[in-house]
Amino acid sequence: MFIAPYDSSIISQRIGLIWSVIGMDRDALFEHAAQCPVGTGLLVDASQAKWLRETGAHLRIFVREGENLVRTGWDGAQIEQFRLYENCLPSQIVDHPPHSAVALDIVMADHTQAAWECTESLIATGLPAPVAASALIGTPAEIALRLGDYRALGIHDIVLTAPPERAPYEAVCEKLLPLLTTLTPEVETRPQHDTVTSGTFDWHGAAL
């Protein structure tokens, strides 16, 4: 498994991706963490944070504290804190504190239809409607456009909450991150939309 870095000198002011590994047991988390590049952001259970900081000094460790997302240093001290919004569209968080992050599921594929078919299957097997309605669904290019809407609001930190067994770690690193480093003015300045249509599929038009 390969997890995309949390940020770099290129994208730190644009989009920072944080992978949620909440609920992962210690052995699996240790194996995953060992493969993470320097700077990878991981949201972990508070009970896992201490030993992970000791064994994964190259990682950015985040924990959940109530409605907040907190990044901690090697000594456990708080480095920064964000108000965490879960499963929200940009239109739902226009008014937010300066330091904010949003948690979203992600379903990414090389073709839009494949991503939506996967999402519909997940909905049929229990993916909650609010999660599906706000999820990042589509091709890397389509998801980059969606993330641009959050960045335009001043939200640069995105927690990807897809469970590890279907989280597109490698695809995000190889296909999505390069798009986030090369956002064009057209993407950055286009009007905000609650929905994005692609062919016969709508971002938030799935039957929930």
Side-chain angles (χ1 to χ4, degrees):
M1 187 197 78
F2 190 81
I3 302 182
Y6 164 78
D7 67 9
S8 72
S9 58
I10 298 175
I11 67 170
S12 60
Q13 295 304 311
R14 295 186 176 224
I15 295 291
L17 300 180
I18 303 163
W19 289 101
S20 175
V21 290
I22 296 292
M24 186 179 292
D25 65 49
R26 180 173 293 201
D27 289 342
L29 183 54
F30 181 82
E31 180 181 351
H32 285 15
Q35 300 177 60
C36 294
V38 173
T40 298
L42 295 181
L43 172 60
V44 304
D45 292 300
S47 61
Q48 305 276 37
K50 183 177 186 297
W51 75 265
L52 188 57
R53 284 194 298 267
E54 295 171 351
T55 60
H58 63 295
L59 304 174
R60 291 175 180 257
I61 305 300
F62 295 81
V63 296
R64 179 77 181 267
E65 293 186 359
E67 296 183 339
N68 297 317
L69 179 72
V70 175
R71 182 161 76 94
T72 60
W74 64 270
D75 57 353
Q78 178 178 307
I79 295 177
E80 54 187 339
Q81 177 175 290
F82 305 88
R83 170 68 168 84
L84 182 61
Y85 293 88
E86 296 185 271
N87 309 311
C88 291
L89 299 173
S91 60
Q92 296 173 304
I93 48 176
V94 172
D95 297 317
H96 59 83
H99 290 84
S100 297
V102 63
L104 304 166
D105 203 318
I106 180 171
V107 181
M108 192 166 72
D110 289 335
H111 302 286
T112 304
Q113 182 171 347
W116 277 100
E117 288 175 351
C118 180
T119 302
E120 289 167 357
S121 176
L122 292 170
I123 292 169
T125 56
L127 185 68
V131 176
S134 61
L136 301 167
I137 304 168
T139 66
E142 291 167 336
I143 290 175
L145 288 176
R146 287 283 312 284
L147 291 175
D149 289 337
Y150 291 98
R151 191 196 63 78
L153 288 179
I155 295 179
H156 305 283
D157 297 274
I158 310 294
V159 180
L160 300 178
T161 61
E165 60 268 20
R166 65 172 174 83
Y169 297 117
E170 187 171 352
V172 164
C173 182
E174 294 181 355
K175 300 177 181 180
L176 178 59
L177 275 183
L179 298 177
L180 300 181
T181 67
T182 57
L183 289 176
T184 64
E186 179 181 355
V187 171
E188 295 176 5
T189 60
R190 66 189 181 86
Q192 301 295 304
H193 297 287
D194 289 344
T195 61
V196 177
T197 301
S198 179
T200 59
F201 293 89
D202 295 332
W203 279 112
H204 306 293
L208 304 178

